[in-house]
Amino acid sequence: MPVTTISGRDIHVDDEGFLTEYDEWDENLAKVLATNIGIDLTDEHWQAIRFVRDDFKAQGETPTIRRVSSVGGIDTKKLFQLFPKKPAKKMSYIAGVPKPHGCV
């Protein structure tokens, strides 16, 4: 697996830049990843990111937008405002979990 350096740390990623090691993630890294894709994190962003991480750890797979909305309690329209164009992909990238199945 490829390794990249982000903020002076070696991070394991896949070919698309998604983290492959759950425990290499922390909130400082999330801030850097968000900045890299043009997102300034707010409390609402953190709510979604924390849900994605917790759900991934519990379920063993990255949650879909529908799951984040229905189980996580964040309206789908709001997710598109927080993470424009590709919310599931962007949430997963920042949260340090694999890209959801079905995302291109």
Side-chain angles (χ1 to χ4, degrees), residues 9-52:
R9 294 172 44 197
D10 287 339
I11 304 294
H12 293 83
V13 296
D14 65 14
D15 293 335
E16 295 182 78
F18 286 81
L19 272 68
T20 58
E21 299 293 328
Y22 184 85
D23 293 328
E24 289 181 349
W25 183 92
D26 62 28
E27 290 190 2
N28 290 325
L29 180 61
K31 292 173 188 175
V32 173
L33 295 172
T35 299
N36 287 348
I37 60 172
I39 293 178
D40 294 320
L41 297 176
T42 65
D43 288 342
E44 291 177 308
H45 288 96
W46 282 112
Q47 179 185 357
I49 290 164
R50 288 184 181 114
F51 175 80
V52 168

Side-chain angles (χ1 to χ4, degrees), residues 24-92:
E24 289 181 349
W25 183 92
D26 62 28
E27 290 190 2
N28 290 325
L29 180 61
K31 292 173 188 175
V32 173
L33 295 172
T35 299
N36 287 348
I37 60 172
I39 293 178
D40 294 320
L41 297 176
T42 65
D43 288 342
E44 291 177 308
H45 288 96
W46 282 112
Q47 179 185 357
I49 290 164
R50 288 184 181 114
F51 175 80
V52 168
R53 285 193 58 79
D54 292 345
D55 196 67
F56 175 82
K57 190 169 187 175
Q59 301 297 316
E61 67 181 65
T62 304
T64 61
I65 291 175
R66 178 175 290 203
R67 184 165 176 81
V68 175
S69 181
S70 63
V71 178
I74 306 168
D75 184 67
T76 302
K77 187 174 181 179
K78 186 63 167 175
L79 291 172
F80 274 90
Q81 291 171 346
L82 294 170
F83 305 95
K85 297 184 182 169
K86 296 186 177 187
K89 193 172 183 177
K90 290 180 179 181
M91 282 187 293
S92 302

